[in-house]
Amino acid sequence: MKKILSGILIAAMTAMLAAGCSGAPAETTAAPGTTEAPGTTASAETTAETTAAPETTAQTEPASADLTCDVVIIGAGGAGLTAALQAVENGAESVIVVEKRAAAGGNSIASTGGMNAAKTPNQDENEFVDAKGVEDMLENAKTNYADNAQIMALVETVEAQYKEYQASPEGYFDSVELFELDTMVGGKGINNLELVEVLAENSADSIVWLRESQGADLSSVGQFGGASVKRIHRPVNEEGKTVSVGSYLIPILSKNCESNEKIQILTETTATEIVMKDGAAAGIVAENGDGTFQINAGAVVIASGGFGANNEMVAKYQPTFDGYITTNTPGAQGDGIVMAEAVGAATVDMEQIQLHPTVYQATGALITEGLRGDGAILVNADGLRFTNEVGTRDAVSAAEFAQPGNCAYLIVDQAMADKSNVIAGYIDRGMTVQGDTYEALAEAAGIAPEAFAESMEKWNACVEAGKDEEFGRTSFVTKLETAPYYAIQVAPGVHHTMGGVKINAQAEVLDTNDQVIPGLFAAGEVTGGVHGANRLGGNAVADIVVFGRIAGASAQAYTAK
C-alpha cells in the first residue's frame, strides 16, 4: 500500500502551489492485597518516569475573545503536538492547540516504553537471534486464525519473506508485514487492517521524522510483549542508559511547538463543543478561567486521548473493570469522544479496554514492559514463574489474576539496573525491595525463599540454553545473577482504551454511515480500530506519531483546498 503520508504531502504541495502559498501494595478491586482505594487515578507525576510534565510557555495570557486559525487541535498530548508540527511543516500558517490541563503531555508523558517501527537501520545493529519468535508467531497465527483471511494472507507473505531471509541472512529480520501480523494477532484479529497497514508502513519514516525534523532520537532497539522480534525503539541518555520515552519525547515536541510562531498552545483551556457549519467542522467552543469563547478554524483535529481515567465510562463499557486502579493521567476522560459523537461521529471497539499487568498499586505507576523485554521475570508469592513474561498484556494480566493475591513480583538484578535509568527511578522512589542473595530478596518481598531461589536458577538455565520449556518464552537477554537483586510487587490496572472515534486511513472522522465528516480529523487514543482487542506495547507511541502526522497533514491539506 502506498504510504498515506506521502500522498497527503503531495496533495498539500499541489494545493499550496495552486493557491500561491510558500513553504507494598494492598487491596483494590483489581488486585486484593493493596492499600490503594478502588478507582484511584494516578497523577502524571506518579505514572511518568519524571517528576513533572514539561512546562508550556506558549500562552502568556488566557484567551477569552473569539480566535481564528487554520487548524485547531483538541489536546496537547503526543498526537496533538505531532499534528500541530506536521500541519505547520506542510504549510499551515496558524495552529491553535487547546489543552485543559496546566501543561502539555497528556498520557504520552507517562509512556515508559518506546515506539515500534519495522525495517529500520537501528534494528540492523542487532544480531538476529529471534528465529523462534518469528516461527512461533507464524504457527500461532495458522493455528488460531485459520479462518481469518487477512491474517492468513499476512502469514503467507511473512513466510515467503522469512524464507528469503534465511537463504541470505543479511541484517536483522523484520518486515512491515510481520509488524502487521503481530499487531493483528495481538488485537485478536478484530483490528481495522487498513489502519494497521498505515501504522506499520509509516513507522520507519516516522522514526526518521522524529530524529531529523524534531531532534528526538529513538535509536535503542529492544523487545516488547507480543512482538515476534526486537522492534521497539527507545531513547537513551548521555550514559547510554535507557530512559522513558514519554519524559524524553514530550518535552522535545512541546519545545518545538512553543518555539514555532505559527503554533499557539492554550493551556487550562477546555474544548466543550465542535462547531459545525454547512455540515463541516468549522471550529470549537472552549472555556477557561475568563469565560467561554469560540475558535474558528478551517479544520479540527481531535487528539484528546482515551477514557482510561473515567471510571464511570470504563464501567459503562466493561462493568468488571469498575473500581480498578488506572495508569492514566486525570485528563483521560473521553470528552473528545463525546464531542465527536455529538456531531454524528461513529465509534468502534468501545468495549475493548486494556489492563496492563505491571502496575505499582500504591500509586498507579506503570512499571514498563521494557524490563521484561530486557530480561526481567515474574514470580508469584510462592516464588514460582507462572507465564511467558513477554506475552500479550491481556494474557499476562489474566495469568496474574490466577496467582495468590492476584499479584506478582517483577524481578531484576543490578546488571539490568546499571543499564536503565528507568529502574534507577523505581529504586529511588522506594518501589523496590532488594537482597544480596535470592533468598534474601525473597525474605524482603515475602516470597517463599527456597522455591524462589530454585526458580531463579531454572530461569538462568533457560537463558543459557536459549529455551523455555515450561512457558515458551522466546526472548533471552541475560541471566539474572548480579547482586543485589530487586523485586517490585505489581498487579493489573486499566491502561489503554482501544476503542474510540472511527477514522479512515487519512485520519478523517467517519459518521455512523461511514461517510467522512468534512473538516474533522482525529489521532491517538481518542480513535478506535488500530489496536483491536489488545494493544501491543510500543504501538501507542507509533500510533500518536504516525496518525498525529497524518491528521496534521490531512487537516492542512483540507484547509488549503
Side-chain angles (χ1 to χ4, degrees):
M1 174 184 285
K2 185 177 180 180
K3 291 188 176 181
I4 298 298
L5 274 170
S6 299
I8 294 171
L9 287 170
I10 292 169
M13 290 173 64
T14 302
M16 287 165 58
L17 289 170
C21 298
S22 60
E27 192 164 77
T28 70
T29 309
T34 66
T35 55
E36 192 68 12
T40 300
T41 300
S43 68
E45 289 77 17
T46 57
T47 52
E49 297 311 316
T50 182
T51 56
E55 291 300 319
T56 300
T57 58
Q59 174 189 329
T60 56
E61 295 292 336
S64 58
D66 288 354
L67 302 172
T68 299
C69 61
D70 290 343
V71 179
V72 64
I73 298 171
I74 304 171
L81 297 173
T82 299
L85 291 162
Q86 187 68 65
V88 168
E89 189 174 304
N90 281 30
E93 291 298 321
S94 58
V95 175
I96 296 176
V97 185
V98 298
E99 169 56 50
K100 64 185 176 183
R101 303 196 73 202
N107 263 357
S108 303
I109 190 70
S111 178
T112 57
M115 174 177 165
N116 284 339
K119 295 300 293 178
T120 70
N122 300 114
Q123 286 179 296
D124 287 333
E125 295 173 8
N126 294 270
E127 179 185 0
F128 183 70
V129 292
D130 303 300
K132 188 70 163 55
V134 176
E135 293 159 7
D136 282 0
M137 172 54 68
L138 291 169
E139 184 61 32
N140 176 17
K142 287 187 284 188
T143 300
N144 296 304
Y145 296 94
D147 59 347
N148 187 311
Q150 293 177 329
I151 287 178
M152 294 313 297
L154 287 170
V155 167
E156 183 177 353
T157 299
V158 172
E159 284 185 326
Q161 292 170 338
Y162 188 49
K163 184 177 180 180
E164 182 179 345
Y165 174 81
Q166 288 176 305
S168 181
E170 295 182 12
Y172 187 85
F173 179 74
D174 194 11
S175 71
V176 166
E177 290 78 14
L178 180 56
F179 186 178
E180 294 167 6
L181 179 62
D182 286 351
T183 300
M184 291 294 293
V185 170
K188 313 304 179 190
I190 71 169
N191 324 52
N192 181 327
L193 179 59
E194 183 181 22
L195 299 182
V196 173
E197 289 172 341
V198 172
L199 180 80
E201 290 176 4
N202 290 281
S203 61
D205 179 67
S206 289
I207 290 285
V208 174
W209 181 81
L210 284 174
R211 182 179 66 249
E212 296 184 357
S213 181
Q214 304 305 317
D217 187 10
L218 307 182
S219 57
S220 175
V221 177
Q223 181 97 27
F224 249 48
S228 302
V229 297
K230 295 180 180 67
R231 185 180 294 131
I232 193 162
H233 292 63
R234 303 171 295 184
V236 296
N237 63 13
E238 293 178 354
E239 299 174 341
K241 294 183 178 181
T242 303
V243 297
S244 295
V245 67
S247 58
Y248 168 81
L249 182 59
I250 293 302
I252 292 173
L253 297 180
S254 296
K255 183 179 179 181
N256 291 346
C257 284
E258 292 161 11
S259 62
N260 193 310
E261 62 182 13
K262 297 180 181 180
I263 300 174
Q264 182 181 15
I265 301 177
L266 305 179
T267 55
E268 297 184 300
T269 301
T270 302
T272 61
E273 179 184 345
I274 297 167
V275 175
M276 300 294 290
K277 183 177 180 181
D278 298 327
I284 65 170
V285 176
E287 61 184 25
N288 58 24
D290 286 355
T292 300
F293 60 101
Q294 187 162 309
I295 302 177
N296 302 303
V300 177
V301 176
I302 310 172
S304 52
F307 57 94
N310 186 335
N311 183 66
E312 182 179 349
M313 198 167 178
V314 167
K316 174 183 175 181
Y317 293 105
Q318 276 291 350
T320 57
F321 291 174
D322 188 9
Y324 278 32
I325 198 166
T326 178
T327 65
N328 287 244
T329 53
Q333 295 293 318
D335 36 5
I337 297 172
V338 174
M339 282 186 281
E341 286 183 304
V343 297
T347 59
V348 62
D349 297 337
M350 291 295 287
E351 74 284 359
Q352 303 299 339
I353 299 172
Q354 181 179 74
L355 299 179
H356 195 290
T358 52
V359 179
Y360 185 65
Q361 299 288 300
T363 62
L366 176 68
I367 308 302
T368 179
E369 193 169 355
L371 301 191
R372 286 173 279 143
D374 288 341
I377 64 169
L378 291 168
V379 300
N380 62 19
D382 295 329
L384 305 174
R385 286 183 67 223
F386 54 88
T387 191
N388 172 7
E389 292 89 349
V390 293
T392 57
R393 289 171 175 176
D394 58 333
V396 179
S397 292
E400 284 184 353
F401 279 134
Q403 304 312 305
N406 305 122
C407 65
Y409 299 83
L410 185 78
I411 310 299
V412 302
D413 70 353
Q414 188 60 47
M416 285 187 65
D418 287 342
K419 297 176 182 177
S420 172
N421 261 23
V422 175
I423 296 176
Y426 298 148
I427 296 169
D428 291 345
R429 286 151 58 195
M431 296 180 180
T432 62
V433 294
Q434 70 181 73
D436 289 333
T437 65
Y438 296 147
E439 292 82 0
L441 177 63
E443 294 280 359
I447 302 170
E450 291 184 8
F452 175 68
E454 183 178 344
S455 292
M456 294 298 288
E457 295 295 350
K458 285 175 65 177
W459 169 248
N460 289 337
C462 287
V463 176
E464 181 75 26
K467 193 169 188 178
D468 177 14
E469 296 279 6
E470 194 169 9
F471 300 108
R473 181 167 168 170
T474 59
S475 65
F476 307 96
V477 179
T478 181
K479 294 181 181 179
L480 298 173
E481 58 182 2
T482 305
Y485 307 99
Y486 302 91
I488 307 174
Q489 188 178 356
V490 295
V494 171
H495 181 54
H496 193 92
T497 50
M498 278 78 70
V501 176
K502 193 172 185 179
I503 61 170
N504 62 17
Q506 289 75 37
E508 296 172 301
V509 174
L510 304 179
D511 66 16
T512 53
N513 295 314
D514 273 349
Q515 298 301 304
V516 169
I517 299 177
L520 189 59
F521 306 86
E525 196 173 348
V526 74
T527 68
V530 177
H531 307 293
N534 180 68
R535 178 177 67 75
L536 299 186
N539 273 2
V541 178
D543 186 1
I544 63 175
V545 177
V546 169
F547 281 98
R549 293 182 67 201
I550 290 171
S554 292
Q556 188 281 327
Y558 178 83
T559 64
K561 289 180 180 178

